Amino acid sequence: MSQLNSSSNIVLLCCAAIVALGATASAADLPAVKAPPMLPPPLPIESWTGFFIGAGGGMSSLNNKFSALPGPDPTSPGISATFDGLGAVGSFATLSAGYDYQVTPALVVGAFGDYDFHQVKSSINVDIAAIPVSARGQISADRQWSVGGRLGYLTSPSTLVFLSGGYTQLGLSNITATVSGPFPAISVVAGVPRISGGFIGAGIETKLTSNVSLRAEYRYNSFGSGQVNLPNVAGVNANDFVSARIEPTLQVVKACELPVLTQRSALADMCLNPSFT
């Protein structure tokens, strides 16, 4: 009986060995299974959302429109005046700060504030034939601040074309002039107030790096008129005879370099990079 059991065990071991050898041979015949290739990390998407500051400069063209009407004194004669030399071209430096928000992959909105330091002077020649009096002087634009917004369209991930508009205020120097007439020539100063208005503009901005961009913009600034405070001439208050107002317009072309202070990760923005998986 023991011999029978021993023989049975030997047979079972032989069968197991044959099965194992067959399985090994079958596995060797199968093709090798390769691991799936590693996908490259997703490329970053340019985002225009963030706070920015900037500095730059440009050229400006100033045009001053003057009007002169008879003064409030009912006995004053109807005086007409002719004006010449009211335009000028100069340069300026600018500081800018604001915030942009990328609404869609192609649309950007923003708000900003600018402060400009102008260097533009305009000569003024005034002739009043009825008195007769003539004046030769000058006026200059010095400082201007603006607040506004812009709406832009991305022609590429790194280039934005935009329209802008907003509110602005311009500081003009007092008018300094030499007045001559039927009296010895004298030097006078006429006071000019700060004048407010609005502006519209258009421009283009392109990213130099992920955090620095270069902006070029044209703006047309139109201001309301302001009362000019005329001086006393030969002991006579000129405001009693002439009511003078000034209405400037200013055209500027500016370029700014704009470092971005804070920038949102575009890959984390589901609006700009939606995922449905």
Side-chain angles (χ1 to χ4, degrees), residues 33 68 72 86 92 219 255-256:
V33 179
L86 304 181
F92 68 95
R219 288 186 195 172
C256 298

Side-chain angles (χ1 to χ4, degrees), residues 69-86:
L69 300 174
D73 187 342
T75 63
S76 65
I79 296 176
S80 62
T82 59
F83 300 89
D84 184 27
L86 304 181

Side-chain angles (χ1 to χ4, degrees), residues 91-233:
S91 61
F92 68 95
T94 184
L95 299 174
S96 182
Y99 180 80
D100 285 328
Y101 182 77
Q102 188 168 352
V103 181
T104 71
L107 188 64
V108 176
V109 296
F112 60 86
D114 294 341
Y115 199 89
D116 300 333
F117 303 87
H118 289 280
Q119 292 183 344
V120 53
K121 292 184 178 180
S122 174
S123 61
I124 300 175
N125 302 321
V126 182
D127 293 291
I128 305 176
I131 297 182
V133 169
S134 64
R136 303 290 181 265
Q138 66 179 19
I139 185 173
S140 63
D142 44 28
R143 291 182 173 90
Q144 178 187 8
W145 62 264
S146 308
V147 291
R150 68 173 182 166
L151 175 65
Y153 176 78
L154 289 167
T155 59
S156 73
S158 60
T159 302
L160 179 74
V161 293
F162 62 89
L163 299 175
S164 61
Y167 174 86
T168 185
Q169 187 178 89
L170 179 67
L172 296 169
S173 70
N174 290 334
I175 300 173
T176 57
T178 300
V179 179
S180 59
F183 47 80
I186 58 173
S187 296
V188 297
V189 176
V192 178
R194 295 187 68 88
I195 301 177
S196 301
F199 70 88
I200 56 174
I204 184 170
E205 183 173 343
T206 184
K207 286 194 173 186
L208 305 179
T209 69
S210 60
N211 291 316
V212 178
S213 64
L214 183 65
R215 176 188 301 175
E217 183 180 4
Y218 165 82
R219 288 186 195 172
Y220 179 83
N221 303 265
S222 179
F223 303 91
S225 65
Q227 182 74 39
V228 177
N229 184 23
L230 300 175
N232 290 331
V233 179

